[in-house]
Amino acid sequence: MNRYPIWKYILILIALVFGALYTAPNFFGESPAVQISSAKSTVKVESSMSERVETVLKQSGLQNTGVFFDFNGAQGSVRARFADVDTQFKAKAALEQALNPDHDNPTYTVAFNLLSNTPKWLQNLRALPMYLGLDLRGGVHFLMQVDTKAVLNKRVQGMQSTIKSVLREKEIRYAGIARDGDAINVRFRDADTRNAAKGVLTSQMQEVAVQESVAADNGEFELKVGLKPEALKSVVAEGVKQNITALSKRVNELGVAEPIIQQQGPDRIVVQLPGVQDVARAKEIIGRTATLEVRLLDDSVVGIVDQNTAAPYGSELFKSNRDGEWIVLVKDPVVTGDYITGAALSFDQRQQPAVSVDLNGDGGRKMREATRSRVGKRMAIVLFEKGKGEVLIAPTIQDELSSRFNITGMGTASAAADLALLLRAGSLAAPMEIIEERTIGPQLGAENIKQGMHSTLYGFIAIAIFMMLYYMLFGFFSVLALGINLLLLVAILSLMQATLTLPGMAAIALALGMAIDANVLINERIREELRAGRTPQKAIEEGFAHAWDTILDSNVTTLIVGLALLIFGSGAIRGFAVVHCLGILTSIFSSVFVSRGVVNLWYGRKKKLASISIGQVWKPQESTDSTPAVK
């Protein structure tokens, strides 16, 4: 008898409920909304902003269908949903005017967004719709060229400072040091000193190549220090990666649900922002620069310092972001954010919140030299953003600092965590230029979705008609399993919050074709068993058992190809590969496990089964004439 134990039917039922729950959010649609996020790294959006937004909207006479606070682990944002686009536009204008009195230096970013209409109880189950890619939702595409010369220039400048520090630390005197293109020329009075310097530089700076020479003008001994070829490539590659990391942190301000930021070639970056139509705002956010500097206070300034204090030559006047204090800082930084390798919330000896900062080797050396003679005095950490600097904190130097030190007196753990986040936040390693720009309208995206859904639906209907005409009731069982396969595939993609693109929709259509192929194998195998004289129950049992080996072999080989596309592909190819691999797994489950369960449920209880509805079973007729014939 062909019967499933009760636990297998329960498993199928759980799969159906799972598929229905996590597929449903894709059919609720989206509502127009606006997102309020911080425009400055030093300003944090708190949950109290929700009440402020509601107040502004109420005073402006604008009705909303919900205001929500969202915290993604780094920056908070507030989103307000509206019933129509007209109210959305009015709300954006009202909120920008109320939240940013200084339009030249905005504190908050107000961006258009879309929010899912999925019921709250489904959202609590993490049942959310799939993200739509640029080709389906519309949006902005940028191809950006990284200025690799600026990356190398910055690295060579740092190398020159490092050479000075190393020679000074080893008390090796040099007659002069100057830059010559991408190399540094260091002059010495005698050959012995040059040889000593060469040994020190070679041992402490592994990435440089050192060559000896003699100056043609005055006969002084020289060392030409330059980066090795592999180090040059590494500098450019690291600069591009740093820019990608910084861009990833910025696009959150635009309200983009699933941006695509990836490297293309050695010095180009592709940025795709689905759903964004404000190109000017996107350019402003992407091109913004933010740098961090550690500076010393100018000791020559005595007395009370206010906004009218004149800064001496070589110094600048700043206002502290923490307490509004005005201080005068030396222009030349001790270290910049490039030297910071890590920053984290910690606690001092009194268990008070602090920030633990880690510097690289060069940064630690510079910090020791700058603080050795300034114990008891102050230094400041300054964040430069949009051309303006803000003092994050100006602590007192308690001891000579090195590669690892603590900033204490933060007050609260939240303040310490915020400062650590700002210290870790990367800046652009080099300027970038937009060399290609495309805007895809939402109408085109909607048309792509319509065509993709129609192609999948019509393909499903065509398969269903053929299967039910050719295999009768077993064809209906196959179509039912195929529908469950599609349901589970969409549910898994929604649970993974995958980004659906046109290649992904093509992979879904391909998954349907591959899934029905497995059912064709099963049905034909059952027909073969019937032709061989097996009873219907035995034919069903043997048919599923023997077809399973073929189905497994074909799907495993196809899965290997899909995994290869996933590992070695990029962009649209990876999106296709993800859906393709998941489709293979759901296909095996639905075409074998679910299909067998439905057949067992229908025929398994019949002890004396005379026939099954699987279409025409053609049996070969035996020839009664053994005489050879020629036709």
Side-chain angles (χ1 to χ4, degrees), residues 517-626:
D517 180 64
N519 287 108
V520 170
L521 288 174
I522 293 172
N523 293 341
E524 286 298 329
R525 187 68 190 188
I526 294 175
R527 280 181 168 184
E528 287 185 11
E529 297 298 331
L530 291 173
R531 281 194 291 268
R534 302 285 194 279
T535 63
Q537 291 286 11
K538 190 64 176 178
I540 293 174
E541 180 182 354
E542 294 293 331
F544 275 99
H546 293 157
W548 164 247
D549 296 333
T550 305
I551 294 171
L552 183 62
D553 291 343
S554 62
N555 279 279
V556 167
T557 53
T558 310
L559 182 62
I560 292 173
V561 176
L563 292 175
L565 291 175
L566 183 63
I567 295 171
F568 300 106
S570 62
I573 296 178
R574 287 177 62 88
F576 176 89
V578 169
V579 182
H580 176 68
C581 294
L582 292 175
I584 291 174
L585 299 178
T586 57
S587 171
I588 294 176
F589 176 81
S590 62
S591 61
V592 179
F593 190 77
V594 175
S595 180
R596 178 78 182 267
V598 176
V599 172
N600 289 353
L601 187 64
W602 187 266
Y603 287 115
R605 297 182 180 276
K606 299 179 181 180
K607 296 182 178 180
K608 297 181 178 181
L609 184 62
S611 64
I612 56 177
S613 177
I614 197 171
Q616 183 66 44
V617 180
W618 300 99
K619 294 185 178 181
Q621 295 182 355
E622 296 181 1
S623 176
T624 59
D625 186 5
S626 60

Side-chain angles (χ1 to χ4, degrees), residues 27-43:
F27 298 96
F28 284 102
E30 295 175 318
S31 295
V34 295
Q35 173 178 296
I36 299 90
S37 55
S38 174
K40 297 181 178 180
S41 300
T42 54
V43 177

Side-chain angles (χ1 to χ4, degrees), residues 100-335:
N100 297 317
D102 185 2
H103 298 290
D104 295 330
N105 187 26
T107 305
Y108 299 99
T109 298
V110 183
F112 291 119
N113 205 333
L114 291 172
L115 287 180
S116 173
N117 293 327
T118 305
K120 191 67 177 179
W121 67 274
L122 278 176
Q123 295 184 27
N124 292 336
L125 295 174
R126 298 296 300 168
L128 301 170
M130 285 183 288
Y131 293 124
L132 298 181
L134 195 67
D135 49 2
L136 297 181
R137 191 174 186 180
V140 183
H141 167 96
F142 294 123
L143 178 61
M144 313 189 77
Q145 176 79 47
V146 180
D147 187 357
T148 55
K149 291 184 178 180
V151 178
L152 290 173
N153 181 61
K154 189 175 182 180
R155 182 66 182 88
V156 173
Q157 288 179 347
M159 184 174 65
Q160 183 174 356
S161 300
T162 302
I163 292 173
K164 289 181 180 180
S165 300
V166 170
L167 296 179
R168 191 180 302 116
E169 185 176 301
K170 297 298 181 180
E171 297 183 352
I172 299 176
R173 296 183 177 273
Y174 54 89
I177 184 170
R179 179 174 176 177
D180 182 14
D182 292 337
I184 304 297
N185 286 338
V186 188
R187 295 191 174 191
F188 302 91
R189 302 296 185 189
D190 55 80
D192 292 338
T193 307
R194 181 186 65 180
N195 294 337
K198 181 180 179 180
V200 170
L201 295 177
T202 303
S203 62
Q204 296 198 14
M205 301 176 66
Q206 304 294 331
E207 73 280 6
V208 301
V210 183
Q211 295 180 352
E212 298 179 0
S213 62
V214 178
D217 52 354
N218 55 11
E220 288 184 333
F221 298 91
E222 284 186 343
L223 284 180
K224 187 174 184 178
V225 185
L227 291 172
K228 296 178 181 178
E230 57 272 19
L232 286 172
K233 293 180 181 179
S234 177
V235 167
V236 175
E238 290 175 359
V240 174
K241 289 181 180 179
Q242 183 176 340
N243 277 17
I244 291 176
T245 303
L247 288 174
S248 301
K249 296 176 182 178
R250 295 179 184 180
V251 296
N252 180 60
E253 298 182 18
L254 293 167
V256 182
E258 190 73 6
I260 297 176
I261 304 172
Q262 60 188 15
Q263 184 173 347
Q264 185 180 85
D267 56 358
R268 292 183 177 182
I269 299 174
V270 173
V271 179
Q272 293 184 358
L273 308 176
V276 173
Q277 302 298 320
D278 191 346
V279 181
R281 184 61 182 159
K283 285 183 178 179
E284 179 186 351
I285 296 296
I286 289 174
R288 192 172 68 202
T289 58
T291 56
L292 198 73
E293 293 183 358
V294 177
R295 295 190 179 189
L296 299 175
L297 267 67
D298 191 337
D299 295 334
S300 64
V301 179
V302 295
I304 299 176
V305 178
D306 56 26
Q307 58 183 343
N308 298 318
T309 302
Y313 178 77
S315 298
E316 289 181 287
L317 181 67
F318 290 93
K319 184 180 182 180
S320 173
N321 177 71
R322 190 179 187 189
D323 52 17
E325 177 190 11
W326 291 91
I327 53 179
V328 178
L329 303 177
V330 178
K331 282 187 177 181
D332 292 334
V334 178
V335 294

Side-chain angles (χ1 to χ4, degrees), residues 259-461:
I260 297 176
I261 304 172
Q262 60 188 15
Q263 184 173 347
Q264 185 180 85
D267 56 358
R268 292 183 177 182
I269 299 174
V270 173
V271 179
Q272 293 184 358
L273 308 176
V276 173
Q277 302 298 320
D278 191 346
V279 181
R281 184 61 182 159
K283 285 183 178 179
E284 179 186 351
I285 296 296
I286 289 174
R288 192 172 68 202
T289 58
T291 56
L292 198 73
E293 293 183 358
V294 177
R295 295 190 179 189
L296 299 175
L297 267 67
D298 191 337
D299 295 334
S300 64
V301 179
V302 295
I304 299 176
V305 178
D306 56 26
Q307 58 183 343
N308 298 318
T309 302
Y313 178 77
S315 298
E316 289 181 287
L317 181 67
F318 290 93
K319 184 180 182 180
S320 173
N321 177 71
R322 190 179 187 189
D323 52 17
E325 177 190 11
W326 291 91
I327 53 179
V328 178
L329 303 177
V330 178
K331 282 187 177 181
D332 292 334
V334 178
V335 294
T336 63
D338 298 333
Y339 294 93
I340 297 177
T341 59
L345 168 66
S346 62
F347 294 91
D348 59 17
Q349 296 177 349
R350 297 177 297 172
Q351 295 303 307
Q352 296 299 312
V355 177
S356 177
V357 182
D358 292 322
L359 303 176
N360 60 19
D362 292 340
R365 186 185 303 110
K366 292 183 177 184
M367 187 64 76
R368 282 194 301 271
E369 294 175 355
T371 60
R372 185 174 296 148
S373 59
R374 296 186 60 85
V375 176
K377 299 181 181 180
R378 298 172 67 189
M379 69 177 186
I381 300 175
V382 187
L383 180 71
F384 288 89
E385 199 168 17
K386 297 181 181 180
K388 298 182 178 179
E390 291 183 89
V391 176
L392 301 179
I393 190 171
T396 301
I397 302 172
Q398 301 291 346
D399 198 358
E400 176 184 325
L401 304 180
S402 60
S403 297
R404 184 177 180 86
F405 59 91
N406 290 333
I407 302 175
T408 59
M410 297 302 302
T412 63
S414 176
D418 291 343
L419 179 59
L421 177 64
L422 291 173
L423 295 177
R424 292 195 307 269
S427 61
L428 293 179
M432 294 184 297
E433 178 186 1
I434 298 176
I435 59 176
E436 181 184 330
E437 175 185 326
R438 294 201 307 266
T439 302
I440 301 175
Q443 293 83 4
L444 179 60
E447 184 66 22
N448 288 337
I449 294 176
K450 182 179 178 181
Q451 292 178 353
M453 291 188 66
H454 283 176
S455 62
T456 304
L457 178 62
Y458 296 153
F460 185 89
I461 292 175

Side-chain angles (χ1 to χ4, degrees), residues 471-484:
Y471 292 110
M472 309 301 288
L473 186 58
F474 268 76
F476 173 76
F477 295 155
S478 300
V479 172
L480 182 62
L482 186 64
I484 294 175

